[in-house]
Amino acid sequence: MRNYSLSKRVLVTGGAGFLGSHLCERLLALGHDVLCVDNFFTGTKDNIGHLLGDWHFELMRHDVTFPLYVEVDEIYNLACPAAPIHYQFDPVQTTKTSVHGAINMLGLAKRIKARILQASTSEVYGDPKVHPQTEEYWGNVNPIGLRSCYDEGKRCAETLFFDYHRQHKLAIKVARIFNTYGPRMHPNDGRVVSGFIVQALRNDPITIFGEGTQTRSFCYVDDLIEGLVKLMATPEDVIGPVNLGNPGEMTVLELARRIVELTGSRSRFVHKPLPSDDPVQRQPDIRLARQALGWEPSTGLDAGLQRTIDYFRGRIGAS
Ligand SMILES: NC(=O)c1ccc[n+]([C@@H]2O[C@H](COP(=O)([O-])OP(=O)(O)OC[C@H]3O[C@@H](n4cnc5c(N)ncnc54)[C@H](O)[C@@H]3O)[C@@H](O)[C@H]2O)c1
């Protein structure tokens, strides 16, 4: 039985995307009314089709670079393409989505006195000189490179969140999300986990950029969503930024080998030059999340990869 006294009206921008669709699912399961807003740039109706029959779920096609007038209690601002090939497709629109999108959602939150959470990113640390990255680190970001539309857009969005908090006493939460993977990732977005799995399932050559010695930390989507929901539920004085990710670090080559093993693939490895501004090392320090949210990832890499492989097997019809 739904408990109306605890139920909230929650807006999820970018709700038809990879993370957004899992977040909508989780919020519905918690008994909330969910309004999913998306312009379907990278998100799809397939990601949320199974939710459309739920009376408590509502879908609105809308671009967050334009103002939005709705009545909700909480806002999760996830709208923004996250994969380099997607955010570099129209870099001006990417910056607009982060910056105008933040201004519009913060303006909405201010008007209706809603709590608002920003899906920021580990990319605000750029190519970090501090390892692992703590929230105090200011980052090492190229302001004029190919990735800057995303990195600087997200940094500016954080600035706006903190200024709305200081200037207008808005209840904000900023999560710095590190690499997350799982079912509903885009099959062709060039990100390592999805890319390697699709190539492995098709027995195609697996593309490794550089020597594959660059490290990444991979968080399973269910863990990440739990972190976002816990952060939203913290007392008003917990505003972040809070790193959310899995501190288990591995090289890209190790990940590729693991995926080949789990899929039983016959794929070989091919090496290509590193893209510009590709970070060498990325690993979250999650002490703050552990202490302030009582959160840490609990899904092991093999378990998470297996669920993701099963999803892609179904999607691309590979055996
Ligand atoms: N997946 C990760 O590993 C990761 C890591 C760090 C940060 N993040 C952040 O989390 C959020 C979600 O990422 P994701 O991996 O689910 O990406 P995604 O591309 O799957 O989802 C983004 C969603 O936003 C929508 N969108 C884009 N521009 C929009 C606009 N102007 N108006 C309305 N909707 C718009 C897209 O259609 C899509 O549904 C992003 O803000 C991203 O920066 C993700």
Side-chain angles (χ1 to χ4, degrees):
M1 188 68 182
R2 194 175 147 84
N3 185 341
Y4 282 88
S5 60
L6 296 176
S7 152
K8 296 194 179 93
R9 299 160 303 170
V10 187
L11 165 61
V12 179
T13 75
F18 160 50
L19 296 183
S21 60
H22 287 274
L23 178 59
C24 288
E25 251 172 24
R26 179 74 64 99
L27 292 168
L28 286 168
L30 290 170
H32 300 304
D33 269 329
V34 176
L35 171 58
C36 166
V37 163
D38 206 294
N39 70 349
F40 299 112
F41 174 55
T42 51
T44 65
K45 289 183 184 165
D46 288 338
N47 285 344
I48 37 134
H50 61 295
L51 304 178
L52 287 173
D54 189 326
W55 184 242
H56 298 284
F57 181 75
E58 208 180 335
L59 173 63
M60 184 192 288
R61 182 191 288 266
H62 175 81
D63 184 323
V64 295
T65 62
F66 296 94
L68 179 68
Y69 299 97
V70 292
E71 300 297 324
V72 291
D73 305 302
E74 291 179 348
I75 303 170
Y76 289 83
N77 188 35
L78 272 63
C80 187
I85 56 160
H86 291 150
Y87 66 66
Q88 288 167 2
F89 173 76
D90 185 348
V92 173
Q93 172 68 10
T94 299
T95 306
K96 274 189 184 171
T97 295
S98 274
V99 177
H100 292 199
I103 290 170
N104 287 328
M105 291 309 119
L106 287 161
L108 172 66
K110 181 180 162 218
R111 187 175 68 78
I112 59 177
K113 298 188 173 43
R115 217 167 233 232
I116 181 165
L117 181 147
Q118 168 69 354
S120 190
T121 169
S122 56
E123 301 290 338
V124 300
Y125 299 121
D127 192 0
K129 302 276 182 238
V130 167
H131 193 76
Q133 291 83 53
T134 61
E135 291 84 354
E136 288 76 40
Y137 180 51
W138 289 357
N140 175 40
V141 177
N142 175 358
I144 56 167
L146 293 177
R147 302 171 75 111
S148 311
C149 58
Y150 183 71
D151 302 5
E152 296 289 22
K154 288 285 188 179
R155 285 168 70 93
C156 183
E158 285 199 11
T159 308
L160 284 160
F161 267 69
F162 277 79
D163 281 335
Y164 264 80
H165 174 68
R166 283 184 287 256
Q167 203 174 327
H168 300 298
K169 310 280 172 281
L170 206 64
I172 63 154
K173 313 275 173 193
V174 174
R176 289 188 179 150
I177 302 170
F178 283 65
N179 267 340
T180 302
Y181 72 98
R184 300 194 206 124
M185 290 183 89
H186 307 259
N188 303 313
D189 68 2
R191 287 198 270 190
V192 277
V193 176
S194 45
F196 288 172
I197 290 178
V198 171
Q199 287 173 329
L201 287 174
R202 291 184 170 143
N203 293 307
D204 287 344
I206 291 183
T207 318
I208 311 272
F209 290 106
E211 293 303 309
T213 50
Q214 63 275 38
T215 66
R216 295 289 183 272
S217 312
F218 302 101
C219 185
Y220 187 64
V221 62
D222 289 355
D223 291 335
L224 191 275
I225 297 301
E226 195 198 339
L228 291 180
V229 171
K230 281 195 158 181
L231 176 57
M232 184 63 106
T234 49
E236 289 241 331
D237 61 327
V238 180
I239 59 175
V242 181
N243 287 339
L244 292 180
N246 193 321
E249 193 185 15
M250 68 192 310
T251 68
V252 165
L253 196 57
E254 283 167 339
L255 174 75
R257 290 198 178 118
R258 203 69 216 106
I259 288 174
V260 165
E261 212 166 299
L262 288 171
T263 50
S265 172
R266 298 187 302 279
S267 294
R268 295 173 299 107
F269 297 146
V270 288
H271 292 266
K272 289 199 176 159
L274 274 176
S276 75
D277 297 335
D278 195 49
V280 178
Q281 262 186 326
R282 209 30 101 50
Q283 186 192 24
D285 180 320
I286 60 162
R287 277 176 296 179
L288 179 59
R290 280 198 181 103
Q291 171 238 314
L293 318 182
W295 174 88
E296 65 181 351
S298 61
T299 311
L301 184 72
D302 279 6
L305 283 178
Q306 195 58 61
R307 281 178 229 165
T308 314
I309 289 166
D310 293 344
Y311 166 78
F312 279 111
R313 235 190 257 283
R315 276 235 30 205
I316 67 175
S319 55

